[in-house]
Amino acid sequence: MKDNPKIWLSPPHIEDDEKQSLNDLIDSNWVTTGGPATTAFEEDLKRYLEVDSPVVALNSGTSAIHLALLLAGVTRGDSVMCQTMSFVATANPILYIGANPIFIDSEMETWNMCPETLENAIKKEIENDGKIPAAIIVVHSYGMPCKIDELSEISKKYNIPLIEDAAEALGSKYKDRKCGSFGDFATFSFNGNKIITTGTGGALVIKNKKLEKNARHLANQAKTSSFDYDHDVLGYNYGMSGLSAAMGIAQLKGVEKKVNIRRANNWFYWEIFDPIEEVFMLKEPILSFYSNFWLTTILFDPKGENKLNKDDLRKCLEAENIECRMLWKPLHQQSFYSKYNYYGTGIAEMLYLNGLCLPSGSSLSMEEKERIASVIKDYFKN
Ligand SMILES: *Cc1c(COP(=O)(O)O)cnc(C)c1O
């Protein structure tokens, strides 16, 4: 029924004791960018990610990707290899720079960038263009680590900087190492729907420590001095506010709990869908992969005989005021990206047509789960 309270896909999850840290921050008056809270949040992130690399807190995940591309030396006319199955923010900064995205299909084990397709594409691009692509952006979609060993190897072999878009993968691990610790650059988002939130916010992890200073410079309007308003290059207003940082510090303390709840949500869905032959759930392929299961995703068998499909299940969930969404529309199918090159065999397209994301927030209650389970079970009974 529509008058049931709405169950959201992945709403912000803020606990009462976190409100105090915002009050304290306001009392300190460091509400704007560049204060002690921001530095403290960066240190907390570094510790959490177990990296030695500098971490720069920013105002969004999108800004973090933009800065990563700039620091990787990408300029107008360059080409950038980019996973096609992702949120549009993964690729948009490529166009901000005037570079050309080249979209790469997924593989079926993680739904992320296919290493073989990537390598073929690099070879073809070099053959056609005589130019080596300027960067590679891989994504850990829905929290599932991509095949980072194979992808890193290709990045090293061709000497192309690797950017890990870990916006959805805070707390995910590969071979016991946190996602965001592998690439030459890694980016996080703390938007309201992500694992932790700072309202809006992001972070950039930079492997080469020498680039840290320039990252901060570019994020702060490339200001050489406050006194005389001198700026040496084109900069950006990308810093994180103290308010966001205070929220981030409080949120990060609860990150393990939030990840465990999302993993438990995934298990809850697993029990529902396991007996249903026509539905496939994305699983960690082998033990090396540890997903935070930011969103639980299901895939209907495109060749299923009983004509069960995502659209009918979606209608049943929506009728009960339960939000669900399709998987990412492949970026090469977005109208303004359709003129750019794409390499693949239609896997991302198939995922888009047959997949569904289900409510997965870390504040999902027992009662809400019961409502969801009853709608799904009803749908498959008929
Ligand atoms: C959320 C998200 C972003 C963008 O982050 P914002 O903080 O919203 O700018 C980038 N890439 C992926 C994969 C995302 O899910």
Side-chain angles (χ1 to χ4, degrees):
M1 284 189 313
K2 277 285 183 202
D3 40 321
N4 274 334
K6 173 116 178 176
I7 302 180
W8 298 95
L9 195 72
S10 181
H13 178 190
I14 302 160
E15 311 221 56
D16 280 342
D17 58 352
E18 295 178 20
K19 292 177 186 158
Q20 188 56 42
S21 49
L22 276 176
N23 275 332
D24 294 346
L25 191 278
I26 290 167
D27 288 341
S28 81
N29 214 30
W30 274 110
V31 292
T32 190
T33 53
T38 309
T39 311
F41 181 46
E42 289 172 346
E43 286 306 310
D44 287 356
L45 279 169
K46 241 174 104 158
R47 217 170 299 125
Y48 178 69
L49 296 172
E50 298 165 322
V51 292
D52 184 35
S53 319
V55 175
V56 181
L58 298 167
N59 63 359
S60 76
T62 311
S63 325
I65 297 167
H66 189 191
L67 280 186
L69 289 166
L70 291 169
L71 294 166
V74 176
T75 56
R76 186 168 295 277
D78 281 345
S79 51
V80 175
M81 315 309 270
C82 179
Q83 178 164 324
T84 196
M85 199 208 60
S86 190
F87 181 52
V88 74
T90 302
N92 283 353
I94 303 171
L95 290 195
Y96 299 169
I97 294 177
N100 302 312
I102 292 168
F103 294 110
I104 309 294
D105 206 3
S106 297
E107 39 77 16
M108 278 307 289
E109 280 186 323
T110 70
W111 297 2
N112 289 308
M113 189 185 280
C114 173
E116 286 81 39
T117 309
L118 172 67
E119 182 156 22
N120 282 336
I122 293 173
K123 284 182 183 156
K124 279 262 162 54
E125 286 295 318
I126 296 175
E127 230 174 80
N128 296 344
D129 198 33
K131 240 175 96 181
I132 297 173
I136 303 168
I137 309 180
V138 299
V139 189
H140 309 292
S141 275
Y142 305 113
M144 181 64 73
C146 63
K147 294 192 168 172
I148 193 72
D149 272 348
E150 291 90 329
L151 294 163
S152 301
E153 210 167 285
I154 296 168
S155 127
K156 290 203 181 80
K157 180 168 165 191
Y158 293 89
N159 199 17
I160 307 172
L162 184 70
I163 301 170
E164 243 186 297
D165 180 353
E168 300 161 11
L170 187 69
S172 294
K173 290 182 270 197
Y174 177 73
K175 290 187 179 165
D176 259 340
R177 247 176 84 184
K178 297 255 169 58
C179 286
S181 69
F182 295 93
D184 296 295
F185 302 91
T187 62
F188 287 96
S189 165
F190 310 118
N191 188 28
N193 62 348
K194 300 288 158 61
I195 295 283
I196 68 164
T197 184
T198 61
T200 170
L204 174 63
V205 185
I206 309 170
K207 190 148 277 172
N208 179 353
K209 290 181 187 170
K210 290 190 198 133
L211 297 175
E212 176 186 6
K213 202 168 157 210
N214 198 24
R216 295 189 188 281
H217 188 59
L218 290 174
N220 190 26
Q221 307 281 28
K223 181 161 63 186
T224 55
S225 136
S226 305
F227 177 67
D228 60 0
Y229 295 104
D230 184 58
H231 306 264
D232 59 352
V233 290
L234 176 66
Y236 304 88
N237 181 13
Y238 280 174
M240 175 177 272
S241 79
L243 278 170
S244 287
M247 196 162 166
I249 292 167
Q251 284 265 304
L252 194 60
K253 289 192 178 118
V255 65
E256 285 303 296
K257 182 179 138 190
K258 289 179 163 78
V259 168
N260 287 334
I261 296 173
R262 292 209 187 231
R263 288 179 59 84
N265 289 342
N266 187 261
W267 185 244
F268 151 78
Y269 285 113
W270 182 249
E271 289 186 323
I272 298 177
F273 288 107
D274 195 32
I276 300 170
E277 244 169 59
E278 298 200 357
V279 176
F280 169 88
M281 269 179 77
L282 180 61
K283 273 191 297 205
E284 291 155 336
I286 46 170
L287 271 174
S288 319
F289 292 80
Y290 179 92
S291 173
N292 63 17
F293 286 112
W294 171 56
L295 295 184
T296 285
T297 50
I298 58 170
L299 189 66
F300 283 79
D301 182 351
K303 296 193 240 18
E305 283 167 9
N306 298 326
K307 296 202 170 70
L308 298 166
N309 67 77
K310 68 161 199 318
D311 299 309
D312 291 339
L313 176 59
R314 190 202 74 207
K315 283 180 204 142
C316 296
L317 289 163
E318 277 175 0
E320 294 296 323
N321 218 8
I322 299 168
E323 185 182 24
C324 60
R325 294 203 193 174
M326 287 170 75
L327 304 191
W328 303 124
K329 178 172 177 172
L331 293 172
H332 69 273
Q333 292 191 316
Q334 302 283 359
S335 57
F336 63 103
Y337 280 127
S338 59
K339 65 176 181 195
Y340 296 99
N341 285 355
Y342 155 76
Y343 291 86
T345 54
I347 289 175
E349 290 161 38
M350 184 280 292
L351 293 171
Y352 176 60
L353 289 177
N354 298 288
L356 214 53
C357 299
L358 299 167
S360 307
S362 48
S363 54
L364 202 64
S365 69
M366 257 334 249
E367 200 187 339
E368 289 174 322
K369 282 188 193 170
E370 277 162 22
R371 273 176 59 199
I372 297 167
S374 97
V375 175
I376 297 174
K377 284 177 182 162
D378 263 4
Y379 173 71
F380 286 100
K381 208 157 46 191
N382 303 325

